[in-house]
Amino acid sequence: MTNDDVLDEFRAAGALREGHFVLSSGLHSPVFLQKNLVFMRPERCERLCKALAQKIIATVGQVDVAVSPAVGGIIPGYETARHLNVPSIYVEREGGGFKFRRGFHLEPGQKVVMVEDIVTTGLSSRECIQAIKDAGGDVVAAACIVDRSGGKADVGVPLIALASLAVPAYPADALPPELAAIPIEDPGSRRLKG
Ligand SMILES: O=P(O)(O)OC[C@H]1O[C@H](OP(=O)(O)OP(=O)(O)O)[C@H](O)[C@@H]1O
Ligand SMILES: O=C(O)c1cc(=O)[nH]c(=O)[nH]1
Ligand SMILES: [Mg+2]
């Protein structure tokens, strides 16, 4: 799949949103990829994740298990794992970091691909990779549907992105006036309170 093929799936799903969004990292952006509108269609999710699985195999070969960060990573992690023919497990936010719960665990030295939905700064990916390493996994690569840093994000392992896109994102104290004038949406789960 080309970059355009991937973005066409987002466009067709109405998932390429414009407005004023505060991102997981705290940065602000005029563009948000609402991936849940893409993943809600199993056939769309399958096309993307099958292509991502093929790219993973072509880049690093077969792995033992796919691990994703909740919430956004769970569906693409599962679907990518289905095409890799490996188990799919996930980590969840608990006490500031990501933790394995629900009986999920890794065997020492298992080859892991960390599967994210979207990468912006790479912060969530790095936190997830740390949790995998703490649990004894060997992270051979990270993978995502869209890297919206345009290749700039450093997650500490090779990042296999199905599509790469350069989207502006600004610190809260450096907003362009036209962005500051729009009401803020905070669509992610990082700042959700139980
Ligand atoms: O590369 P980063 O700067 O970390 O941004 C990308 C992360 O932001 C989103 O997660 P979020 O924490 O918003 O919650 P979600 O998974 O529930 O959407 C997305 O799913 C990635 O995990
Ligand atoms: O950085 C983020 O939090 C983020 C950006 C984006 O476009 N989509 C998303 O789900 N999260
Ligand atoms: Mg996420």
Side-chain angles (χ1 to χ4, degrees):
M1 273 181 124
T2 66
N3 249 19
D4 280 346
D5 292 336
V6 175
L7 294 179
D8 281 349
E9 295 282 5
F10 276 75
R11 277 191 203 99
L16 216 43
R17 318 286 273 204
E18 291 183 12
H20 180 179
F21 304 94
V22 60
L23 306 179
S24 181
S25 54
L27 295 177
H28 292 235
S29 180
V31 176
F32 191 78
L33 298 162
Q34 187 40 278
K35 68 277 173 143
N36 299 293
L37 295 175
V38 175
F39 302 146
M40 68 181 268
R41 295 280 183 189
E43 72 283 4
R44 239 190 248 299
C45 188
E46 179 178 38
R47 280 194 291 274
L48 293 167
C49 294
K50 185 175 181 184
L52 185 59
Q54 287 166 348
K55 204 163 176 178
I56 293 167
I57 299 271
T59 311
V60 293
Q62 189 58 31
V63 297
D64 299 318
V65 57
V67 176
S68 293
V71 178
I74 294 177
I75 297 176
Y78 178 90
E79 184 62 13
T80 303
R82 194 167 75 83
H83 293 283
L84 292 170
N85 199 23
V86 298
S88 166
I89 60 177
Y90 57 86
V91 291
E92 297 167 73
R93 290 196 193 284
E94 190 186 84
F98 280 121
K99 299 273 165 15
F100 287 94
R101 302 181 67 225
R102 304 175 197 276
F104 292 149
H105 70 279
L106 295 169
E107 303 299 334
Q110 266 190 313
K111 283 205 243 175
V112 179
V113 62
M114 194 285 307
V115 180
E116 256 285 24
D117 46 8
I118 311 288
V119 168
T120 300
T121 63
L123 176 63
S124 305
S125 298
R126 289 192 296 275
E127 289 172 338
C128 182
I129 288 166
Q130 190 58 53
I132 297 166
K133 288 184 176 166
D134 291 346
D138 172 15
V139 185
V140 295
C144 66
I145 303 295
V146 180
D147 170 10
R148 50 170 283 171
S149 81
K152 290 214 177 87
D154 180 3
V155 301
V157 297
L159 176 61
I160 301 162
L162 191 57
S164 177
L165 187 68
V167 183
Y170 308 93
D173 60 1
L175 299 186
E178 63 278 12
L179 188 58
I182 303 172
I184 297 174
E185 288 178 58
D186 188 352
S189 67
R190 185 185 283 271
R191 282 170 291 275
L192 283 182
K193 304 238 165 30

